Amino acid sequence: MILGKSNGPSYAGTPNMSASKMEVYLEQAKLRLGFVKSRVFRRIATIVVSFSLILVAIILTARLTNVGEVLPKVLGSFLPKIPTCASQNQSGEQDVWKKAEAKYKGLMSDKFTIAMQTYQRPKELNDTLKAILSEDVPSLHEVVIVWNDLETKPPANFVSKFGVPVRYRVSKHNSLNEKLWPDPDYKTQAILLSDDDVYYHPKDLEFVFQSWRKFGQHRLVGALARCATVDAYGNWAYTFCSSKVEEDIYDMILTNLCFSHISFLDYYSSNTTTMNAIRDYVDEGFNCEDIALNYVQSLLTGDGPLLVQGREKYVNFVPSKGISTKKGHMAARSRCLNDFAKMFQCMPLVDETAHIQKGVLVM
Ligand SMILES: *[C@@H]1O[C@H](CO)[C@@H](O)[C@H](O)[C@H]1NC(C)=O
Ligand SMILES: *[C@@H]1O[C@H](CO)[C@@H](O)[C@H](O)[C@H]1NC(C)=O
Ligand SMILES: *[C@@H]1O[C@H](CO)[C@@H](O)[C@H](O)[C@H]1NC(C)=O
């Protein structure tokens, strides 16, 4: 085979190509090569290849792992459907609250009243009363039994051996709102809301009250914390809280053992459109008055609640994780969280990270 000879390089396999045609061909080839080598081309190629690789990685990860379940959770946790009241500058009807605060300024601030709700559980009531009245609690002014059993006549009022009067108050109707009613006969600003099956040891009760005075007059102060967290769909979910390092917060205190300033009870019972609707909701479901009071307190003050323990653990006849852990119960409580947030038009609860416990840490 004869290789063509010209001033350009010889090209094998095209012996019949004329010299000028060959030159044009070579020029075009050089141009193409130039483009392939150009910076723009390389950048485009890099982007296209990277995108493809990322896409493949995402598809593979989604197929092979449960990221499909985790992803909405991650997104959901940043996107509650109902925004917090703080982010909306909502703090409720402050005029109603200011009036309530002014109304009770004259009540004693260095004593407290126990408002204990009971319904057809004379044994528990008796045991609880016996326990808390058995020792001197210097600041305990009065015990009011909120008697919700309208069929049965309550026992007679009496005075304990330490001089604490015990008064049975028959409710207007069997309603959970009755415990949260600001009785005009109360003589103290501090009300310890409680049920007949749970109490602080008398020695600790005075300590918890003094903690309320020092740290918690604008908060709910009590024994059992609960949590509202955002679920995978951006809804609020009711939980027992978690002490995992990355969580370690709470935003509600149950009102089965909880100090409240009487002005929060006044707001809860006030004749405003929202509170009327909330109380009706509580009566319809016979549930969630405690969640509603937590909403009221955090809405008005912008503060979270405060968990306080005595030296010993509080006493609870019914284990807190007994009937209340049932799935239906948790779902109903979660529904209350979301329905109340809609009614308040924002989520008022505020996270708290610390609690108070009686005693010293000797290091
Ligand atoms: C809330 O109030 C702050 C300061 O008064 C203001 O900067 C912010 O825009 C307000 N946010 C909303 C949602 O109104
Ligand atoms: C409580 O116990 C006492 C005896 O310790 C008894 O006399 C009283 O009737 C009991 N009350 C109720 C409501 O059970
Ligand atoms: C509640 O307010 C409405 C009007 O705002 C009034 O008509 C009604 O009498 C009030 N109810 C009570 C119990 O005060």
Side-chain angles (χ1 to χ4, degrees):
M1 198 195 291
I2 300 159
L3 293 175
K5 248 191 177 191
S6 70
N7 34 1
S10 48
Y11 195 84
T14 51
N16 302 328
M17 200 179 266
S18 74
S20 65
K21 255 192 185 167
M22 174 89 98
E23 262 164 27
V24 170
Y25 187 89
L26 282 175
E27 277 303 303
Q28 283 174 347
K30 254 190 214 167
L31 271 178
R32 259 180 232 142
L33 207 66
F35 177 68
V36 169
K37 277 187 179 167
S38 82
R39 240 186 245 167
V40 176
F41 176 82
R42 265 182 287 169
R43 210 167 275 173
I44 290 171
T46 311
I47 291 170
V48 170
V49 170
S50 311
F51 259 118
S52 316
L53 284 178
I54 290 170
L55 206 64
V56 167
I58 288 175
I59 291 169
L60 281 181
T61 321
R63 286 260 167 109
L64 301 177
T65 69
N66 66 342
V67 74
E69 291 159 36
V70 174
L71 211 59
K73 245 178 219 175
V74 171
L75 293 177
S77 66
F78 294 113
L79 297 170
K81 276 187 189 160
I82 301 168
T84 61
C85 297
S87 74
Q88 303 299 301
N89 292 342
Q90 292 282 343
S91 58
E93 299 181 50
Q94 289 284 320
D95 50 330
V96 175
W97 186 44
K98 294 289 168 224
K99 245 185 237 164
E101 278 192 301
K103 185 167 156 191
Y104 299 108
K105 271 222 152 63
L107 297 188
M108 286 186 280
S109 61
D110 56 350
K111 301 268 186 213
F112 71 97
T113 303
I114 296 179
M116 185 185 298
Q117 174 176 262
T118 190
Y119 180 80
Q120 293 187 345
R121 286 201 296 198
K123 171 85 173 72
E124 280 88 346
L125 176 65
N126 221 0
D127 291 350
T128 301
L129 275 179
K130 206 185 285 168
I132 56 178
L133 297 174
S134 64
E135 292 177 40
D136 189 21
V137 181
S139 300
L140 175 55
H141 178 72
E142 185 190 17
V143 177
V144 175
I145 310 295
V146 181
W147 190 264
N148 272 351
D149 178 6
L150 306 184
E151 323 271 281
T152 315
K153 246 189 94 175
N157 299 345
F158 64 96
V159 177
S160 81
K161 64 176 168 184
F162 292 103
V164 178
V166 178
R167 162 163 72 95
Y168 291 83
R169 187 182 81 205
V170 179
S171 297
K172 291 182 282 294
H173 33 255
N174 179 17
S175 161
L176 298 173
N177 294 320
E178 289 288 322
K179 185 168 79 170
L180 306 185
W181 180 59
D183 188 334
D185 288 336
Y186 286 155
K187 299 289 189 290
T188 65
Q189 295 182 23
I191 310 295
L192 175 64
L193 304 166
S194 80
D195 288 348
D196 55 14
D197 58 354
V198 55
Y199 58 88
Y200 281 114
H201 288 278
K203 281 192 183 67
D204 289 330
L205 191 47
E206 183 70 23
F207 164 78
V208 180
F209 171 62
Q210 296 303 338
S211 297
W212 175 85
R213 287 184 75 197
K214 278 185 237 169
F215 309 114
Q217 300 204 23
H218 51 314
R219 317 161 97 180
L220 296 184
V221 173
L224 288 98
R226 291 293 181 267
C227 284
T229 54
V230 175
D231 73 7
Y233 306 100
N235 296 315
W236 297 97
Y238 183 83
T239 75
F240 284 101
C241 303
S242 148
S243 56
K244 282 189 208 144
V245 174
E246 67 271 23
E247 295 171 22
D248 225 4
I249 51 169
Y250 61 97
D251 46 28
M252 286 178 278
I253 292 288
L254 296 185
T255 56
N256 63 356
L257 195 52
C258 161
F259 277 96
S260 171
H261 194 280
I262 191 170
S263 60
F264 295 130
L265 306 186
D266 195 281
Y267 190 96
Y268 180 93
S269 306
S270 63
N271 185 18
T272 62
T273 312
T274 307
M275 291 320 302
N276 287 341
I278 296 273
R279 289 194 309 277
D280 287 348
Y281 183 104
V282 164
D283 277 341
E284 273 163 34
F286 217 83
N287 198 356
C288 299
E289 84 290 1
D290 49 354
I291 293 177
L293 189 66
N294 277 273
Y295 274 42
V296 163
Q297 181 259 291
S298 287
L299 178 74
L300 296 176
T301 66
D303 287 314
L306 185 60
L307 184 63
V308 179
Q309 294 296 344
R311 208 163 208 296
E312 288 180 68
K313 199 179 171 221
Y314 61 87
V315 178
N316 197 349
F317 296 155
V318 183
S320 64
K321 299 200 177 182
I323 37 169
S324 53
T325 37
K326 279 190 193 149
K327 211 164 181 191
H329 172 78
M330 301 305 273
R333 303 281 282 175
S334 294
R335 228 170 9 254
C336 291
L337 285 178
N338 290 290
D339 289 343
F340 289 162
K342 272 179 217 142
M343 292 157 94
F344 281 107
Q345 296 175 326
C346 58
M347 164 49 95
L349 295 182
V350 177
D351 289 341
E352 179 52 71
T353 49
H355 71 276
I356 292 179
Q357 181 152 27
K358 190 180 184 194
V360 61
L361 290 176
V362 179
M363 303 284 199

